[in-house]
Amino acid sequence: MYWGQLSLQDPCSPLMKELSEFHDFAMLPLMFISLYIIYTMFIISSSDTSAKHMFESHGLESIWTLMPAIILITLALPSLRLLYILDELCNPSLTIKTVGHQWYWSYEYTDTANIEFDSYMIPTEDLSPGDFRLLEVDNRMVVPMLMETRVLVTAADVMHAWTVPSLGVKVDAIPGRLNQMTILPSRPGVFYGQCSEICGANHSFMPIAVESVDIKKFDQWLTWKYLEN
């Protein structure tokens, strides 16, 4: 994300790419409808003619009934497809449990080793040159690139929301409930997000940092993290 950016973030997963394409597709009929309404309002306001003697027109009524229905169906079909893709879990290679707290995140890797750690925001005065203010954390969530990872999300106190826009994920963290999603990073890098549910005084100070690495570096990180714990 850049200052003044109006469009969506660059997609870093197949899911976010599908969401971006659907956004662009949906904007086409919306822009056409908006321009047509503005044009019609301009014509009506600048013209002296009126249709006050027109009492009924079955053809006109059919047009303004069928056209919105066709537009809604055109938007609904790809939208339903995306909803099924969001909920689909094929064969995840890794499961990570994410717990929201006031005001930090904790992560648990329990598939291969019992690894647990907390992720706090780095204060502004401790940032290094080039770091992002209010987004950098002391412990990033590391995931393997080009591999399906299941993330289980819950909360320990109040409602939170685990959101990473460039990966196309936003999941509510609710106490006493497990929500799940799938992330599939398509390239290496660090992807940032923030809590998207107002959860208290420090709601703006619990960022999310997901680091995508190749499988070899991921195995090395798992070994190092296990020894550290």
Side-chain angles (χ1 to χ4, degrees):
M1 181 65 70
Y2 300 96
W3 292 108
Q5 181 175 344
L6 298 178
S7 59
L8 301 175
Q9 294 187 21
D10 293 337
C12 300
S13 69
L15 176 59
M16 186 57 189
K17 185 177 180 182
E18 293 277 351
L19 290 172
S20 298
E21 291 177 352
F22 176 72
H23 170 268
D24 297 339
F25 171 73
M27 287 300 294
L28 290 176
L30 294 179
M31 291 178 61
F32 174 77
I33 293 171
S34 300
L35 292 175
Y36 179 75
I37 292 175
I38 294 173
Y39 171 77
T40 304
M41 293 175 63
F42 175 77
I43 293 298
I44 293 175
S45 62
S46 61
S47 176
D48 295 332
T49 60
S50 109
K52 62 182 179 180
H53 299 294
M54 181 183 293
F55 293 101
E56 63 179 17
S57 175
H58 295 296
L60 186 60
E61 291 178 359
S62 300
I63 291 174
W64 70 38
T65 301
L66 291 176
M67 286 301 294
I70 294 173
I71 293 174
L72 289 176
I73 292 174
T74 305
L75 294 176
L77 294 179
S79 178
L80 289 174
R81 174 177 171 272
L82 272 177
L83 286 176
Y84 280 106
I85 293 176
L86 284 169
D87 291 334
E88 186 177 0
L89 282 174
C90 296
N91 187 21
S93 58
L94 176 68
T95 299
I96 303 173
K97 184 179 179 181
T98 301
V99 183
H101 305 265
Q102 289 183 314
W103 288 271
Y104 65 95
W105 297 96
S106 63
Y107 301 99
E108 301 176 12
Y109 293 70
T110 56
D111 281 356
T112 56
N114 190 17
I115 298 174
E116 300 180 11
F117 59 90
D118 299 328
S119 180
Y120 290 88
M121 185 192 75
I122 299 178
T124 303
E125 58 271 14
D126 296 334
L127 291 175
S128 302
D131 289 344
F132 297 101
R133 189 178 73 90
L134 302 182
L135 291 177
E136 297 291 348
V137 297
D138 54 358
N139 290 303
R140 296 170 176 168
M141 187 182 96
V142 181
V143 296
M145 179 183 63
L146 299 177
M147 296 181 66
E148 201 171 56
T149 301
R150 176 172 57 186
V151 182
L152 304 177
V153 183
T154 187
D157 34 48
V158 299
M159 284 185 61
H160 303 275
W162 199 83
T163 306
V164 183
S166 58
L167 295 177
V169 294
K170 180 179 183 293
V171 180
D172 288 335
I174 303 173
R177 176 175 176 176
L178 278 179
N179 290 328
Q180 70 175 2
M181 61 181 169
T182 304
I183 57 176
L184 180 61
S186 56
R187 61 180 177 85
V190 181
F191 314 117
Y192 296 98
Q194 291 176 304
C195 177
S196 297
E197 189 75 40
I198 298 177
C199 56
N202 291 332
H203 158 69
S204 301
F205 305 104
M206 50 181 304
I208 303 161
V210 179
E211 184 173 358
S212 171
V213 297
D214 60 53
I215 186 61
K216 183 177 180 181
K217 291 183 179 179
F218 177 74
D219 291 337
Q220 294 174 352
W221 177 85
L222 277 181
T223 303
W224 169 76
K225 205 67 179 177
Y226 177 76
L227 295 176
E228 183 186 44
N229 288 348

